[in-house]
Amino acid sequence: MQNQRVLLNIIYTLTFRTAENSTASTAAFDKNPQSRERGITLDLGFSSFTVELPAHLREAGGHRYHSLQFTLVDCPGHASLIRTIIGGAQIIDLMMLVVDVVKGVQTQTAECLLIGELTCPRMVVVLNKIDLLPPNKRQSSIEKMTKRLHKTLENTRFKDCPVIAVAAKPGGPEAPDTEEPQGVPELIELLKKQTYLPHRDPEGDLLMAVDHCFSIRGQGTVMTGTILQGSLAINDTVEIPALKVTKKVKSVQMFRKPVSGAMQGDRVGVCVTQFDPKLLERGVVCAPGSLRTLYAALISVRKIGYFKGSLSTRAKFHITVGHETVMARVTFFGLPPTDLCPLDTPFSFDREYLYQEEYMTGQGEASSGPDPEQWALLEFERPVTCPSLSLVIGSKLDTDIHANACRLAFHGRLLKGFEDKGYAETALPQLHIYKTKHKEGQVERVTDDYTVIGRNLFKKETNLQLFVGLKVTLSTGETGSIDGGFGQSGKFKIRVSEGLHPETKRLLSSTSKKKGKGGGKGEPASEDEPKADSQPISIHLHFKRYVFDPHKKMVQS
């Protein structure tokens, strides 16, 4: 049987009554009593129904299948439960975005739409609660809302996606169950038309996203989830990497039907023994040794356009990787402005990168177009376990959920993880991210044709030996190098190997005369003599310093 997984945010009991061979999994209904009382979803729920394989799938190479199984992933729609929404969205092939036909698109609806853009290729929009519209205005209201939704979606990957109107629970959650839903059979027919044969591959290491864990007396502990990669079978050994324990698979079920094994895309329940279900509410299970626990990670990064705030380096964001959400401090970096690399340039430790105070956008007065290629270092507050190339979503979940603001800030892919707790000392020095520095001082006087004394470039307490040998440029065009300190007040000598220009010497001579009797020719003037009244010759020192260099060396090209 080919599995097709659909994101469904609709009350399950209605779907069960409209399709034959429907099954509610053990985790389909919320444990929270409030969920049943109010007819709302507070946690991920799962169910399925089976239909005859549509003709277009048989023609597309699905002749070896007899039926199509829809696995319904019910994600809670409320804004405060966005962590659960993100976790559920990463295991779907087709998304159903449910919109209240009376209220229209809300802030949380827009957030769900953004998550869908990041996680799945296709979508169906369901206009729900059409029973609340006056009968004489119902059709015109549906058409008006449909037109508005198509306008909203025209710049997304879901442009021209189908929109269908239903009344999933006429009369609301308190209405009797005898009240028949409206439009749900038509919705199932639409889903059958929208299905496709997703690529499934049993090869590779097992990776399973676990969303519920519970015990069954006399049998053991059941972990329910979706196989994201590879396959498993009875008697296989699996690892729970967050707990660093391994367990043998005692039995496997797919919607209450025992099976000998399962593969990528399957929704399964895996039974193991001697494991406390309270230790794993949500997480991942994998082939032993195939996943690593990370203390920090490098990711590609793209800002989400609807996020209104800036993305600042050293700010903290909620980082969602798979089913885990953890706080992390973020450092943004990109290619140097002189590096003319094309978009989609891959990350490499062999390349130098420019430190950024914030994420750089391609929009503004001076430029328009796509954002430049950028990356980010994530330093997690607690370690996370995840595979490479995982989808990463950065959010500001502490924003007021009642504010009309998108909380999803950026997204990317995990490129490199750091497993060593001491990564700051062992791994980060290999990351060549630099800051550009510029210091400016003035020439105080000339001592001979090849030497000048400078001031105001360093503080009195600065260790000038760190700067000896660095090149400087005078505002008159000469290039020299710092030769050492002069006196005790932060002044320094500059050696100009090619000699001072005649015009520079004339300017400095003129300045010297205005200082009065500072000393005879060839004699160094007093260190405390007054400054010149004329415009001084400035000294410019440019260098770069690598952010993660433990020695804080200054480097010049």
Side-chain angles (χ1 to χ4, degrees):
M1 180 184 294
Q2 177 68 30
N3 289 333
Q4 180 72 28
R5 299 195 309 276
V6 183
L7 172 61
L8 182 62
N9 193 19
I10 208 167
I11 300 173
Y12 278 111
T13 49
L14 308 176
T15 306
F16 300 153
R17 288 161 43 204
T18 60
E20 295 183 3
N21 302 321
S22 61
T23 307
S25 75
T26 50
F29 303 102
D30 277 318
K31 299 183 287 287
N32 195 315
Q34 186 184 20
S35 178
R36 292 176 180 270
E37 292 170 8
R38 296 179 57 195
I40 61 174
T41 304
L42 297 178
D43 200 356
L44 292 177
F46 297 85
S47 58
S48 74
F49 65 91
T50 304
V51 297
E52 185 178 343
L53 192 72
H56 73 278
L57 293 187
R58 284 196 298 271
E59 295 169 0
H63 54 273
R64 61 189 182 278
Y65 302 109
H66 301 291
S67 59
L68 171 69
Q69 175 178 308
F70 285 88
T71 301
L72 309 177
V73 184
D74 183 13
C75 288
H78 195 271
S80 62
L81 303 171
I82 193 169
R83 288 179 176 84
T84 305
I85 298 170
I86 295 173
Q90 294 186 77
I91 57 173
I92 63 174
D93 299 308
L94 175 66
M95 171 181 176
M96 286 208 316
L97 184 70
V98 181
V99 179
D100 187 322
V101 72
V102 178
K103 296 180 180 178
V105 174
Q106 305 293 296
T107 300
Q108 61 263 34
T109 315
E111 288 182 337
C112 290
L113 174 60
L114 288 171
I115 294 168
E117 278 205 274
L118 300 177
T119 56
C120 69
R122 296 194 187 186
M123 184 175 76
V124 170
V125 177
V126 180
L127 293 178
N128 193 21
K129 301 184 181 180
I130 60 173
D131 58 303
L132 300 182
L133 298 172
N136 61 332
K137 297 182 179 179
R138 183 169 299 171
Q139 190 57 37
S140 62
S141 297
I142 291 172
E143 290 174 359
K144 184 177 179 180
M145 183 61 72
T146 299
K147 187 175 181 180
R148 187 183 303 172
L149 284 166
H150 278 143
K151 180 71 174 175
T152 300
L153 298 172
E154 67 180 3
N155 292 322
T156 73
R157 71 189 301 177
F158 303 124
K159 181 181 179 181
D160 298 327
C161 77
V163 179
I164 189 169
V166 305
K169 183 73 171 174
E174 296 180 1
D177 286 342
T178 54
E179 193 76 30
E180 286 294 324
Q182 302 170 21
V184 174
E186 292 80 4
L187 171 59
I188 292 176
E189 288 304 311
L190 176 61
L191 292 178
K192 289 165 64 176
K193 292 179 182 178
Q194 291 295 311
T195 54
Y196 59 99
L197 291 175
H199 176 70
R200 302 298 192 220
D201 185 2
E203 300 302 318
D205 292 324
L206 170 71
L207 178 63
M208 174 178 166
V210 175
D211 38 65
H212 293 89
C213 193
F214 52 91
S215 61
I216 298 179
R217 182 176 294 181
Q219 294 189 36
T221 296
V222 175
M223 299 178 289
T224 64
T226 303
I227 299 179
L228 304 179
Q229 176 182 296
S231 60
L232 64 77
I234 294 173
N235 293 325
D236 280 356
T237 298
V238 298
E239 180 184 5
I240 306 168
L243 304 175
K244 301 194 185 311
V245 299
T246 56
K247 294 293 177 182
K248 180 176 282 191
V249 176
K250 179 182 178 183
S251 62
V252 182
Q253 287 191 4
M254 294 178 60
F255 290 96
R256 301 181 182 176
K257 293 182 179 179
V259 292
S260 59
M263 60 175 283
Q264 182 189 47
D266 288 336
R267 173 79 195 163
V268 296
V270 178
C271 183
V272 299
T273 57
Q274 297 180 334
F275 179 65
D276 184 354
K278 295 178 181 178
L279 297 176
L280 184 68
E281 174 63 22
R282 193 156 288 162
V284 292
V285 167
C286 64
S290 62
L291 289 188
R292 298 291 182 269
T293 299
L294 308 179
Y295 291 87
L298 293 173
I299 66 166
S300 61
V301 64
R302 280 283 180 270
K303 184 177 182 180
I304 291 174
Y306 295 100
F307 184 75
K308 295 180 180 178
S310 62
L311 305 181
S312 301
T313 282
R314 305 200 68 77
K316 289 186 177 181
F317 290 85
H318 292 86
I319 303 298
T320 301
V321 185
H323 281 311
E324 288 198 73
T325 298
V326 60
M327 293 293 291
R329 185 175 60 190
V330 183
T331 300
F332 294 101
F333 60 95
L335 296 171
T338 55
D339 197 336
L340 302 177
C341 291
L343 284 175
D344 300 323
T345 298
F347 171 83
S348 171
F349 278 102
D350 296 329
R351 184 178 285 118
E352 289 194 344
Y353 297 93
L354 180 64
Y355 174 92
Q356 297 175 181
E357 292 292 346
E358 62 180 24
Y359 179 91
M360 306 296 291
T361 63
Q363 306 295 325
E365 295 180 5
S367 64
S368 62
D371 296 348
E373 201 73 30
Q374 290 163 84
W375 297 268
L377 168 67
L378 307 180
E379 298 182 79
F380 302 119
E381 287 194 349
R382 61 173 176 79
V384 297
T385 303
C386 58
S388 61
L389 299 179
S390 293
L391 172 66
V392 178
I393 298 178
S395 314
K396 281 287 189 181
L397 299 183
D398 46 2
T399 304
D400 183 4
I401 62 173
H402 302 294
N404 185 24
C406 176
R407 294 171 296 166
L408 306 178
F410 61 85
H411 66 94
R413 289 283 171 184
L414 195 151
L415 304 177
K416 171 67 178 178
F418 300 113
E419 303 169 36
D420 186 354
K421 191 173 184 179
Y423 67 91
E425 291 78 30
T426 60
L428 290 190
Q430 304 171 38
L431 185 58
H432 303 303
I433 300 175
Y434 67 87
K435 292 182 179 181
T436 56
K437 298 286 187 178
H438 172 232
K439 289 178 174 289
E440 184 176 340
Q442 292 82 39
V443 173
E444 180 164 283
R445 63 181 174 275
V446 60
T447 57
D448 57 46
D449 289 350
Y450 297 93
T451 308
V452 296
I453 303 300
R455 58 181 168 84
N456 296 343
L457 194 65
F458 307 109
K459 296 179 180 179
K460 183 178 180 179
E461 61 272 17
T462 300
N463 180 7
L464 286 176
Q465 289 302 311
L466 297 175
F467 294 86
V468 170
L470 293 185
K471 297 183 184 303
V472 296
T473 303
L474 306 187
S475 56
T476 48
E478 295 92 337
T479 299
S481 59
I482 297 174
D483 205 28
F486 181 81
Q488 302 297 318
S489 58
K491 296 180 182 180
F492 53 96
K493 294 179 184 178
I494 295 175
R495 179 70 177 172
V496 183
S497 59
E498 296 183 1
L500 296 169
H501 298 159
E503 179 63 19
T504 304
K505 289 188 288 185
R506 188 188 66 77
L507 287 172
L508 291 172
S509 175
S510 173
T511 301
S512 179
K513 288 178 181 178
K514 291 183 179 182
K515 292 181 181 178
K517 299 178 181 179
K521 184 177 180 181
E523 294 178 344
S526 168
E527 185 178 324
D528 299 320
E529 65 183 39
K531 297 180 176 62
D533 295 329
S534 61
Q535 183 69 29
I537 296 173
S538 57
I539 305 167
H540 298 272
L541 170 63
H542 294 272
F543 62 93
K544 58 186 179 183
R545 179 174 279 164
Y546 294 101
V547 175
F548 302 115
D549 177 10
H551 305 294
K552 304 298 181 185
K553 291 180 181 177
M554 287 154 288
V555 180
Q556 290 181 315
S557 300

